[in-house]
Amino acid sequence: MKKYVMALDQGTTSCRAILFDKESKIVGVTQKEFTQIYPKAGWVEHDADEIWSTQYGVIAELIAKTGIKVDEIASIGITNQRETTVVWDKNTGKPVYNAIVWQCRRTTTICDDLKAKGYEDVVREKTGLVVDAYFSGTKVKWILDNVEGARAKAEKGELLFGTTDTWLIWKLTGGKVHVTDYSNASRTMMFNIRELHWDKELLEMLDVPQKMLPEVRNSSEVYGNTDAGVFLGFEVPIAGVAGDQQAALFGQACYEPGDAKNTYGTGCFMLMNTGSKIYTSKHGLLTTIAWGIDGKVEYALEGSTFIAGAAIQWLRDGLKIIDVAPDSEYYAKKVKDSDGVYFVPAFVGLGAPYWDMRARGGIFGLTRGTTKYHIIRAALDSLAYQTKDVLGSMEADSGISLKSLRVDGGAVANNLLMQFQADILGTRVDRPEIIETTALGAAYLAGLAVGFWKSKEELASRWLLDRRFEPDMEEEKKAKLYKGWLKAVERTKDWEDD
Ligand SMILES: Nc1ncnc2c1ncn2[C@@H]1O[C@H](COP(=O)(O)OP(=O)(O)O)[C@@H](O)[C@H]1O
Ligand SMILES: O=P(O)(O)OC[C@H](O)CO
């Protein structure tokens, strides 16, 4: 009897495997971090083989830890850090270069060149994206231009490209299946989100051969079975795929136009479901595919903030002023506010709504009275301010004023941050019981495809509130604080010289 759906959450800093039962309850979770590689300032890479071995390790550990039988798993759903680019040799299965991570800025000058050639409008129109080093397209181009022999091999059809969903499916199926879903394809800057195909003009613009691209499929359907030789002796259907932010939107049951969520992980990503409508943002947001189910594609408006929880990791690993992320709340509570200190974590440039690839981080407003507690507090505040930047754009673009914001991701465990978020937005913040919403969304997509769950309505009825944070800050104070933030952001712009 099938009792579980397994979700694989391939995030920026860790791989997780999570088992959900029919009532959407978590039966077990395993997680392991993997190496972040920073070869130069502004460059970020992962070892794709390490991603695979880490993911495989947490799958095996989950099965051992929970004691379930593999044949009780109805299906597997995959969700992934988006845009991160893997190129591998079809015959040997070996990556030709490290995965270039979504945060990596090495293709800034390729983007400048595309802009100078006047491609911004066509990119916006066809892909819903802005020309930025964030997306996969220029990363693939960089690999083909810089890895010896890569372009010739790609042209002969010997190399494959994929985001990490595609890479994991290829590995899990023993090299048989090369696919992605609509939501991931929409982050590549090569996919036409209106006509739903890889776009010839964009591929020519980037000089990327179509043969290396995966087939684009629905977010909920059976793509293939795991190879028994690889997957602990069993063939289990892989039946759901979505980029992690779209999966979180699905897991938060944001199924109606106007429903929105904000995920606080490494970065912070706010998505609003816009149904079949394709909004073109006038305020620095992206248009993206939320998911495709039964051939019907739905869209979302997205505000992407590159550094959120990663700023807290930097307090831990870079400054070493906290030992673990939850310490940030403990120390921040020691002061009543940041005392005029602002921390703009533009470590890899600024995403929405500013889109400045050359911005770099800064801490402003320091005085002799500033302590590490103020800096920690300012780092937490920056997550909330960046969210306010994006929410303002979203309300302006959609004409919808949000009554409440559903939140998820690792950093929403921080109650101080959540209260400040509600205060600075002037909007209720709703934290659900399950904050592993990304994995839940992937599980839902995979479960729906094999009949484990019947409908989105059934899933929506299971959304449960853990805690609601009500706004409680005077307008004048809110305005003053936010003004300071905007001033600090201005100071970080256009910093890096090439
Ligand atoms: N209590 C906390 N307060 C603030 N940030 C936190 C807290 N717990 C975790 N984080 C941050 O959340 C992030 C982890 O969230 P997660 O959803 O697992 O991210 P990802 O999927 O991007 O790896 C880390 O960047 C970490 O610094
Ligand atoms: O790893 P996360 O959860 O911060 O998500 C990364 C995003 O998918 C990047 O677009």
Side-chain angles (χ1 to χ4, degrees):
M1 191 158 87
K2 305 296 181 195
K3 295 186 185 163
Y4 312 106
V5 171
M6 183 186 273
L8 309 182
D9 181 357
Q10 200 301 288
T12 308
T13 55
S14 73
C15 293
R16 286 193 188 78
I18 304 187
L19 215 51
F20 292 94
D21 68 12
K22 259 214 148 77
E23 278 66 53
S24 315
K25 294 265 179 313
I26 293 180
V27 177
V29 185
T30 49
Q31 175 176 13
K32 192 164 181 250
E33 291 201 1
F34 53 84
T35 317
Q36 305 293 311
I37 305 167
Y38 304 111
K40 287 187 190 180
W43 289 32
V44 191
E45 296 177 0
H46 293 153
D47 174 346
D49 281 329
E50 188 189 353
I51 287 184
W52 164 240
S53 62
T54 306
Q55 191 65 64
Y56 191 79
V58 292
I59 293 170
E61 191 191 347
L62 182 64
I63 289 163
K65 185 170 139 180
T66 54
I68 66 137
K69 298 191 182 71
V70 180
D71 65 358
E72 291 174 327
I73 302 173
S75 58
I76 296 172
I78 298 182
T79 181
N80 55 293
Q81 53 167 325
R82 306 166 304 167
E83 302 97 11
T84 295
T85 296
V86 188
V87 176
W88 67 95
D89 188 309
K90 197 177 179 173
N91 302 313
T92 65
K94 280 283 158 206
V96 300
Y97 193 78
N98 275 338
I100 302 185
V101 177
W102 58 275
Q103 296 164 319
C104 188
R105 306 278 92 192
R106 83 185 60 197
T107 58
T108 298
T109 52
I110 300 180
C111 293
D112 289 342
D113 188 44
L114 295 178
K115 287 182 188 171
K117 289 180 178 149
Y119 279 114
E120 274 177 292
D121 289 346
V122 72
V123 166
R124 163 67 81 183
E125 172 65 17
K126 290 185 165 188
T127 70
L129 308 176
V130 298
V131 174
D132 193 273
Y134 178 23
F135 307 105
S136 318
T138 59
K139 300 181 196 291
V140 185
K141 176 176 169 53
W142 190 94
I143 291 177
L144 298 184
D145 288 347
N146 289 279
V147 176
E148 209 185 320
R151 180 167 296 286
K153 277 185 154 184
E155 274 157 11
K156 278 194 260 159
E158 291 171 11
L159 296 188
L160 300 178
F161 152 76
T163 37
T164 62
D165 53 319
T166 304
W167 171 238
L168 291 182
I169 295 174
W170 197 82
K171 295 297 269 185
L172 285 165
T173 58
K176 289 189 206 70
V177 179
H178 185 225
V179 296
T180 190
D181 87 302
Y182 287 116
S183 70
N184 274 295
S186 73
R187 315 296 299 182
T188 59
M189 221 170 89
M190 299 185 276
F191 192 72
N192 188 315
I193 63 166
R194 295 169 188 272
E195 296 170 7
L196 304 178
H197 55 72
W198 296 116
D199 191 279
K200 282 211 160 37
E201 184 186 8
L202 299 174
L203 295 181
E204 276 165 26
M205 166 188 95
L206 292 162
D207 206 4
V208 169
Q210 185 159 354
K211 333 182 150 134
M212 68 190 298
L213 305 181
E215 188 187 340
V216 184
R217 305 267 288 266
N218 283 300
S219 311
S220 178
E221 68 169 76
V222 177
Y223 312 98
N225 288 335
T226 56
D227 181 281
V230 175
F231 199 76
L232 310 165
F234 289 89
E235 293 189 2
V236 181
I238 303 170
V241 172
D244 56 8
Q245 302 311 323
Q246 288 92 332
L249 191 70
F250 203 82
Q252 285 272 28
C254 293
Y255 301 144
E256 298 299 325
D259 289 350
K261 68 87 202 178
N262 198 29
T263 301
Y264 301 69
T266 304
C268 206
F269 299 87
M270 189 186 296
L271 270 74
M272 180 188 275
N273 184 326
T274 63
S276 55
K277 192 157 179 195
I278 302 181
Y279 281 85
T280 300
S281 177
K282 294 193 172 60
H283 302 89
L285 301 181
L286 307 174
T287 309
T288 204
I289 295 182
W291 43 71
I293 298 179
D294 295 334
K296 187 170 167 264
V297 159
E298 297 195 283
Y299 296 88
L301 264 176
E302 172 172 326
S304 331
T305 299
F306 295 152
I307 301 289
I312 309 307
Q313 283 175 339
W314 181 74
L315 298 179
R316 184 192 68 182
D317 305 336
L319 286 191
K320 300 191 195 305
I321 54 174
I322 57 173
D323 291 326
V324 287
D327 285 353
S328 60
E329 182 169 6
Y330 173 77
Y331 288 127
K333 273 188 181 155
K334 289 188 180 288
V335 287
K336 74 173 189 336
D337 54 34
S338 74
D339 196 27
V341 176
Y342 288 92
F343 178 167
V344 185
F347 299 154
V348 292
L350 287 166
Y354 306 106
W355 298 108
D356 185 336
M357 294 183 279
R358 292 189 171 79
R360 289 297 178 266
I363 303 178
F364 303 92
L366 300 175
T367 67
R368 279 299 296 271
T370 302
T371 65
K372 74 169 185 177
Y373 307 127
H374 295 110
I375 291 177
I376 294 168
R377 177 94 196 210
L380 285 174
D381 291 353
S382 75
L383 276 63
Y385 288 127
Q386 294 183 98
T387 295
K388 184 172 170 72
D389 289 341
V390 161
L391 184 70
S393 296
M394 201 152 275
E395 293 189 333
D397 276 332
S398 66
I400 296 171
S401 171
L402 278 196
K403 301 271 171 307
S404 66
L405 181 65
R406 291 187 171 189
V407 298
D408 55 74
V412 304
N414 192 312
N415 290 328
L416 179 92
L417 167 63
M418 290 299 102
Q419 185 56 52
F420 185 69
Q421 184 69 87
D423 289 345
I424 207 72
L425 291 179
T427 302
R428 282 190 327 232
V429 169
D430 286 344
R431 184 172 67 193
E433 276 190 2
I434 296 187
I435 60 172
E436 294 281 6
T437 325
T438 301
L440 184 62
Y444 280 171
L445 289 164
L448 286 172
V450 297
F452 187 76
W453 290 299
K454 297 287 174 259
S455 66
K456 288 198 283 190
E457 291 68 33
E458 175 193 352
L459 303 176
S461 68
R462 300 236 180 85
W463 191 93
L464 291 176
L465 184 71
D466 163 51
R467 184 161 164 188
R468 168 164 290 170
F469 297 85
E470 296 282 354
D472 183 23
M473 187 183 276
E474 288 159 13
E475 287 300 325
E476 201 183 325
K477 183 168 178 198
K478 209 162 59 179
K480 185 164 179 256
L481 287 174
Y482 190 54
K483 192 172 161 209
W485 165 256
L486 294 176
K487 199 160 141 190
V489 168
E490 283 309 309
R491 302 281 202 271
T492 66
K493 288 184 179 170
D494 197 21
W495 181 266
E496 182 73 17
D497 294 324
D498 293 318

